Amino acid sequence: MNQIYSSLLQRAKHTAHIISDSIYIPVIEDFRLRERANWGDIPDQTFDEFVALWDKCTQERDYVPSQGDSARMAGDRLALCLSDISFKYPESSTIIVTHGGLITDFLINVISESELDQVHPNFIHLQTCLVKECSITIVSFEKDHFTLIDFANTSHL
């Protein structure tokens, strides 16, 4: 591993720094790795209101909340970030520490539904519960194409 990129949110930065401390690679924070929306982005928003908004964005992938991005926009943002990093470091592997919703938004944008259903039946319908905390998803990027190698693996935990 030559670099570690992390979301700016504390929960991701904390994980990135644990990894960084063990392999002696500094963490690069990237705003593009943030989740599509976060509880607390909208003043006085209750958690139930946040969950309802999250669910609406998940079901209507082009719905843009008053704070944050649509699911499609978030997935595109991660795809651009990963392709930029791949072009910057073409011969290396990179650790990305980000969020489950963003990962599934990205995968739904770049991997066919049939391929996703091979990873997990009803992937799109169940997406909000598929990525466990600290799981590892591996993708490769070659010739402007993303390939899913491993999804939400928790065998290291």
Side-chain angles (χ1 to χ4, degrees):
M1 298 299 150
N2 293 340
Q3 53 279 330
I4 302 171
Y5 280 79
S6 174
S7 162
L8 302 177
L9 295 178
Q10 288 299 323
R11 61 188 185 265
K13 288 191 327 186
H14 179 74
T15 301
H17 284 284
I18 290 171
I19 297 166
S20 171
D21 290 347
S22 67
I23 60 176
Y24 309 106
I25 297 174
V27 174
I28 302 164
E29 295 177 13
D30 194 309
F31 187 72
R32 298 173 295 177
L33 297 173
R34 72 190 186 284
E35 190 61 274
R36 81 168 93 116
N38 294 284
W39 182 38
D41 285 351
I42 299 173
D44 301 320
Q45 181 185 45
T46 68
F47 186 70
D48 288 340
E49 291 169 335
F50 169 73
V51 170
L53 179 69
W54 184 270
D55 289 344
K56 182 173 182 163
C57 289
T58 300
Q59 293 166 6
E60 300 174 31
R61 292 187 46 74
D62 292 311
Y63 174 76
V64 181
S66 62
Q67 294 288 322
D69 294 329
S70 72
R72 190 172 319 280
M73 290 166 52
D76 287 345
R77 177 172 26 88
L78 181 54
L80 178 61
C81 180
L82 296 180
S83 63
D84 286 351
I85 291 168
S86 180
F87 286 127
K88 187 173 183 179
Y89 305 103
E91 301 299 320
S92 68
S93 297
T94 301
I95 296 172
I96 306 291
V97 183
T98 191
H99 310 280
L102 183 61
I103 293 168
T104 55
D105 291 342
F106 159 74
L107 290 175
I108 290 169
N109 283 9
V110 302
I111 305 294
S112 72
E113 185 173 350
S114 63
E115 289 178 82
L116 293 174
D117 284 344
Q118 290 175 9
V119 171
H120 194 285
N122 293 318
F123 186 100
I124 291 175
H125 179 70
L126 298 172
Q127 66 181 288
T128 59
C129 61
L130 296 179
V131 179
K132 304 299 182 207
E133 287 80 4
C134 297
S135 64
I136 296 173
T137 295
I138 302 172
V139 296
S140 68
F141 181 72
E142 294 180 42
K143 299 179 182 156
D144 295 331
H145 178 75
F146 290 99
T147 303
L148 180 60
I149 307 297
D150 196 9
F151 175 71
N153 189 319
T154 57
S155 63
H156 60 286
L157 299 177

